[in-house]
Amino acid sequence: GARQQTNLCNESLMLEKLPACGKFFEEMMKKVDSKKWCNLTEFIMYYDSFTQCTEREANNASCFWPNPLAEGFITGIHKQFFSNCTSDKIHWEDPPDEILITLILIPVMLTCAMITMVVWCSKRSDIL
Protein backbone atom coordinates (compact mmCIF):
# COMPACT_ATOMS: atom_id res chain seq x y z
CA GLY A 1 0.00 0.00 0.00
CA ALA A 2 0.84 3.67 -0.13
CA ARG A 3 3.01 4.85 2.69
CA GLN A 4 2.28 8.29 4.14
CA GLN A 5 5.38 10.38 4.62
CA THR A 6 5.40 12.68 7.60
CA ASN A 7 7.91 15.48 7.84
CA LEU A 8 9.43 15.93 11.24
CA CYS A 9 9.79 19.41 12.61
CA ASN A 10 13.27 20.74 11.91
CA GLU A 11 13.57 22.82 15.06
CA SER A 12 17.14 23.91 14.39
CA LEU A 13 16.18 25.25 10.94
CA MET A 14 13.21 27.10 12.44
CA LEU A 15 15.35 28.62 15.20
CA GLU A 16 17.88 29.66 12.57
CA LYS A 17 15.24 31.45 10.47
CA LEU A 18 13.10 33.12 13.17
CA PRO A 19 15.66 35.84 14.04
CA ALA A 20 15.24 37.27 10.53
CA CYS A 21 11.56 37.86 11.39
CA GLY A 22 12.62 39.56 14.61
CA LYS A 23 15.19 41.71 12.80
CA PHE A 24 12.57 42.83 10.28
CA PHE A 25 10.14 43.68 13.10
CA GLU A 26 12.88 45.58 14.93
CA GLU A 27 13.62 47.64 11.79
CA MET A 28 9.93 48.45 11.37
CA MET A 29 9.54 49.42 15.03
CA LYS A 30 12.33 51.98 14.61
CA LYS A 31 9.81 53.94 12.51
CA VAL A 32 7.47 54.15 15.51
CA ASP A 33 8.14 56.58 18.36
CA SER A 34 9.07 54.44 21.37
CA LYS A 35 6.50 56.34 23.45
CA LYS A 36 3.82 54.84 21.19
CA TRP A 37 4.98 51.21 21.45
CA CYS A 38 2.10 50.39 23.79
CA ASN A 39 -0.47 51.66 21.29
CA LEU A 40 -1.22 48.69 19.05
CA THR A 41 -2.79 50.86 16.35
CA GLU A 42 0.61 52.48 15.75
CA PHE A 43 2.33 49.24 14.67
CA ILE A 44 -0.37 46.63 14.02
CA MET A 45 0.71 46.17 10.39
CA TYR A 46 4.32 45.53 11.44
CA TYR A 47 3.22 43.08 14.10
CA ASP A 48 0.98 41.26 11.62
CA SER A 49 3.93 40.90 9.22
CA PHE A 50 6.08 39.63 12.08
CA THR A 51 3.46 37.05 13.04
CA GLN A 52 3.05 35.89 9.45
CA CYS A 53 6.82 35.62 9.10
CA THR A 54 7.17 33.42 12.20
CA GLU A 55 4.30 31.23 11.00
CA ARG A 56 5.82 30.93 7.51
CA GLU A 57 9.26 30.00 8.86
CA ALA A 58 7.77 27.44 11.24
CA ASN A 59 5.79 25.88 8.39
CA ASN A 60 8.85 25.90 6.11
CA ALA A 61 10.67 23.88 8.77
CA SER A 62 7.68 21.45 8.87
CA CYS A 63 6.75 22.64 12.34
CA PHE A 64 3.36 23.49 13.69
CA TRP A 65 2.72 27.10 14.57
CA PRO A 66 2.54 28.21 17.25
CA ASN A 67 4.87 25.81 18.98
CA PRO A 68 6.80 26.20 22.23
CA LEU A 69 10.02 27.28 20.51
CA ALA A 70 8.29 29.87 18.31
CA GLU A 71 6.29 31.09 21.31
CA GLY A 72 9.51 31.50 23.26
CA PHE A 73 10.98 33.58 20.44
CA ILE A 74 7.82 35.72 20.19
CA THR A 75 7.84 36.19 23.97
CA GLY A 76 11.41 37.47 23.73
CA ILE A 77 10.32 40.05 21.15
CA HIS A 78 7.47 41.07 23.44
CA LYS A 79 9.87 41.54 26.33
CA GLN A 80 12.14 43.63 24.14
CA PHE A 81 9.46 46.02 22.91
CA PHE A 82 6.48 45.82 25.25
CA SER A 83 7.88 45.19 28.74
CA ASN A 84 6.92 48.71 29.85
CA CYS A 85 3.31 48.34 28.69
CA THR A 86 0.90 47.73 31.50
CA SER A 87 -2.78 46.99 31.47
CA ASP A 88 -3.83 49.53 34.06
CA LYS A 89 -7.54 49.20 34.56
CA ILE A 90 -9.53 52.39 34.67
CA HIS A 91 -11.44 52.82 37.89
CA TRP A 92 -14.83 54.26 36.98
CA GLU A 93 -16.74 56.25 39.57
CA ASP A 94 -20.32 57.46 39.63
CA PRO A 95 -20.75 61.21 39.24
CA PRO A 96 -21.88 63.23 42.26
CA ASP A 97 -25.53 62.75 43.22
CA GLU A 98 -26.58 66.20 41.97
CA ILE A 99 -25.29 65.48 38.47
CA LEU A 100 -26.63 61.92 38.48
CA ILE A 101 -30.14 63.07 39.50
CA THR A 102 -30.08 65.73 36.78
CA LEU A 103 -28.96 63.22 34.15
CA ILE A 104 -31.80 60.91 35.14
CA LEU A 105 -34.55 63.55 35.49
CA ILE A 106 -33.97 65.37 32.18
CA PRO A 107 -34.90 62.40 29.94
CA VAL A 108 -37.80 61.46 32.25
CA MET A 109 -39.21 65.01 32.10
CA LEU A 110 -38.74 65.19 28.34
CA THR A 111 -40.54 61.87 27.93
CA CYS A 112 -43.45 63.07 30.09
CA ALA A 113 -43.63 66.34 28.13
CA MET A 114 -43.67 64.48 24.79
CA ILE A 115 -46.42 62.12 26.00
CA THR A 116 -48.49 65.07 27.23
CA MET A 117 -48.03 66.84 23.92
CA VAL A 118 -49.04 63.75 21.91
CA VAL A 119 -52.17 63.22 24.04
CA TRP A 120 -53.08 66.90 23.83
CA CYS A 121 -52.59 66.97 20.05
CA SER A 122 -54.57 63.75 19.53
CA LYS A 123 -57.55 65.25 21.44
CA ARG A 124 -57.42 68.34 19.26
CA SER A 125 -57.09 66.48 15.94
CA ASP A 126 -60.50 67.77 14.81
CA ILE A 127 -59.23 71.36 15.02
CA LEU A 128 -55.94 70.71 13.20
Side-chain angles (χ1 to χ4, degrees), residues 58-124:
N59 290 334
N60 287 344
S62 301
C63 300
F64 288 104
W65 187 92
N67 61 60
L69 292 174
E71 287 177 357
F73 177 77
I74 292 169
T75 300
I77 293 293
H78 279 231
K79 286 179 182 175
Q80 180 181 350
F81 290 98
F82 313 122
S83 61
N84 292 330
C85 300
T86 60
S87 58
D88 291 336
K89 298 201 178 198
I90 299 172
H91 178 69
W92 296 97
E93 293 183 16
D94 288 336
D97 287 345
E98 299 81 25
I99 294 175
L100 191 60
I101 290 170
T102 305
L103 291 173
I104 293 171
L105 287 180
I106 289 175
V108 169
M109 298 302 241
L110 285 173
T111 303
C112 290
M114 292 301 291
I115 291 171
T116 303
M117 200 162 128
V118 168
V119 169
W120 182 72
C121 286
S122 66
K123 287 183 178 181
R124 298 189 46 126

Side-chain angles (χ1 to χ4, degrees), residues 23 26 35 38:
K23 185 71 174 162
E26 188 175 333
K35 294 174 186 165
C38 295

Side-chain angles (χ1 to χ4, degrees), residues 3 5 12 16 25 29 32 35 40 43 48 51 54 72 77 87 94 97 99 115-116 119 122-124 126:
R3 190 173 130 172
Q5 181 179 354
S12 58
E16 182 182 310
F25 183 69
M29 288 300 283
V32 179
K35 294 174 186 165
L40 187 61
F43 62 87
D48 182 54
T51 303
T54 59
I77 293 293
S87 58
D94 288 336
D97 287 345
I99 294 175
I115 291 171
T116 303
V119 169
S122 66
K123 287 183 178 181
R124 298 189 46 126
D126 59 332

